[in-house]
Amino acid sequence: MSEIVATRPLASLRLSPARLRAALPFVSLALMLLAIGWLNPRAISYLGFNLMLNLAVPVALATIAQLFVITVNDLDLSAGYFISFIACIAVTTLGDHPFLGGLAIIGSIAIYAAIGALIHLRDLPSIVVTLGMSFVWQGFALMVLPQPGGKAPEWLQGLMGIRIPFVPFPIVAVILIGLVGHIILMRTPYGAVLRGVGGNSAAVARAGWSVLSARILAFTAAGVFGVLSALSLVGLSTAADANIGAGYTLLAIAGVILGGGEFTGGRVSAPGAVAGAVTLTLASASLLSFMRIPPDWQIGANGLILVIVLAVRAAIGRRP
C-alpha cells in the first residue's frame, strides 16, 4: 500500500501529451527570448521590449481574428488586405470625418459577417471565397489611398504610444488580447457553440443551435479583431498604404498553428495563438536581425521555425 501511495506523486508529475502540446507555444517563446538575450543582452530591458514587441500587438490581434475563423473549420485568406483597407480608411477619413470613417468600418464588419453567411448558405469553400475577397479589399484600399501616405489620428498615435511604469505596454496589450480571446472562446456559451461547430456541426444543430448564426458570429468577431489590428498598426506606423497588412494573412495563420490550433475539430487556444504571434514577431524583427540574417531569408526562417514546432508537436502526439 505504501508503495502505491509513493508512486502517485510521481505519476502526477508526468505531463500528458495534451498538456505538453499546450505548453509548446510558451516554451518556444521562452527559447526565443533566451536566444535574443544571449545574442543581445541589452534587448532584454524595458526599452528593448518596447522596440521589439510594438508590432506584436497588431500581429496578435490579426491572429485572434484568424483564430475565430479557424475555430469553425474555415480559413480567411482575405485578412491581410482587409487590414490594409481599414488602415487606409483610418489615415484618410477617420481623423477628419470620424462619423463617416466609423460608418465605413462598421459596414466592413457587416460585409465580413455576410461572407460567413454566404459560405454557410451556399456551402462554399471558405478558402475560395476569402481569396476572392482579398482582391476586393485590395481594390477598395487602392481606391481609398492610391499612394502611400495619409495621417493616423492623433488619438490613435497616443493610444499606441502609451508608456506604463515597470511593464512595457506591448506586453500588457498582448496578455490582454490573449485573455479576452480565451474568455470569449472558453468561458462564454457563444464560444462553446463556435468550438462545437468546429468539432461537430451536426450535433450543434441537433442541440437546437443555429450553425448559420455561429458562422456569422465567428466572421463578425474576425472582422472586429481585424479592425483593431489595422487601427493598432496605423497607430504605430502613423501612415498607411494599400499593402501595409498584406503579410498579416500568413502571419496570422502561422500564429494560430504555432499556438496549438488545428484546422479541424474546433481545437484552438487564444493564449497559445498570441504566444505564437509574439514568437514570430520576435523571430522576424529581432532574433534574425541580431543573427545578421538578410531580410530575404527571414521569411524562410520563420517558416522553418513553424515546421520545427509542428514536428515537435507531432512527436509529442505520438507519445503513449
Side-chain angles (χ1 to χ4, degrees):
M1 178 66 70
S2 60
E3 292 179 358
I4 295 175
V5 173
T7 58
R8 282 179 181 172
L10 295 176
S12 63
L13 292 175
R14 294 179 181 177
L15 291 177
S16 66
R19 289 183 177 179
L20 286 173
R21 286 162 61 94
L24 187 58
F26 304 98
V27 173
S28 303
L29 178 56
L31 292 175
M32 187 67 61
L33 290 172
L34 287 173
I36 290 172
W38 180 67
L39 291 169
N40 188 351
R42 290 177 299 177
I44 308 301
S45 64
Y46 184 95
L47 179 60
F49 279 120
N50 258 322
L51 294 174
M52 291 190 300
L53 293 178
N54 258 342
L55 288 177
V57 177
V59 174
L61 287 165
T63 301
I64 293 296
Q66 188 70 245
L67 183 76
F68 278 101
V69 177
I70 290 178
T71 300
V72 294
N73 292 350
D74 287 326
L75 196 63
D76 182 11
L77 297 184
S78 67
Y81 283 114
F82 175 74
I83 290 171
S84 297
F85 170 66
I86 298 298
C88 292
I89 291 291
V91 299
T92 57
T93 309
L94 197 59
D96 296 331
H97 307 284
F99 180 75
L100 291 177
L103 282 180
I105 289 173
I106 293 172
S108 301
I109 295 173
I111 292 175
Y112 240 77
I115 292 170
L118 176 65
I119 289 171
H120 178 80
L121 292 173
R122 305 303 300 174
D123 196 22
L124 299 173
S126 59
I127 293 178
V128 175
V129 176
T130 57
L131 178 62
M133 282 303 302
S134 70
F135 297 106
V136 175
W137 293 124
Q138 185 182 25
F140 285 168
L142 286 169
M143 290 173 60
V144 173
L145 191 66
Q147 300 294 331
K151 183 182 178 181
E154 291 186 3
W155 62 267
L156 200 50
Q157 297 182 47
L159 179 63
M160 295 307 298
I162 289 176
R163 292 290 181 265
I164 299 175
F166 308 114
V167 182
F169 170 71
I171 293 179
V172 176
V174 296
I175 290 174
L176 287 176
I177 292 167
L179 182 61
V180 170
H182 177 76
I183 290 173
I184 294 174
L185 284 173
M186 301 297 175
R187 294 290 184 267
T188 66
Y190 301 104
V193 172
L194 292 182
R195 289 183 286 114
V197 169
N200 190 335
S201 59
V204 171
R206 287 196 299 270
W209 293 91
S210 170
V211 178
L212 171 62
S213 298
R215 188 161 269 116
I216 291 174
L217 177 62
F219 275 81
T220 301
V224 170
F225 277 92
V227 166
L228 295 176
S229 175
L231 294 180
S232 62
L233 181 58
V234 165
L236 292 170
S237 63
T238 71
D241 64 77
N243 296 300
I244 191 171
Y248 278 51
T249 298
L250 295 181
L251 269 178
I253 296 172
V256 173
I257 302 306
L258 189 62
E262 299 184 14
F263 286 118
T264 59
R267 292 185 288 271
V268 293
S269 168
V274 170
V278 174
T279 300
L280 292 173
T281 303
L282 288 173
S284 58
S286 302
L287 178 65
L288 302 182
S289 299
F290 293 149
M291 294 175 66
R292 302 185 184 280
I293 294 178
D296 293 341
W297 288 71
Q298 291 183 5
I299 297 177
N302 269 338
L304 181 61
I305 292 171
L306 182 61
V307 170
I308 292 172
V309 172
L310 290 178
V312 174
R313 190 200 299 181
I316 292 173
R318 287 195 293 268
R319 282 188 54 187

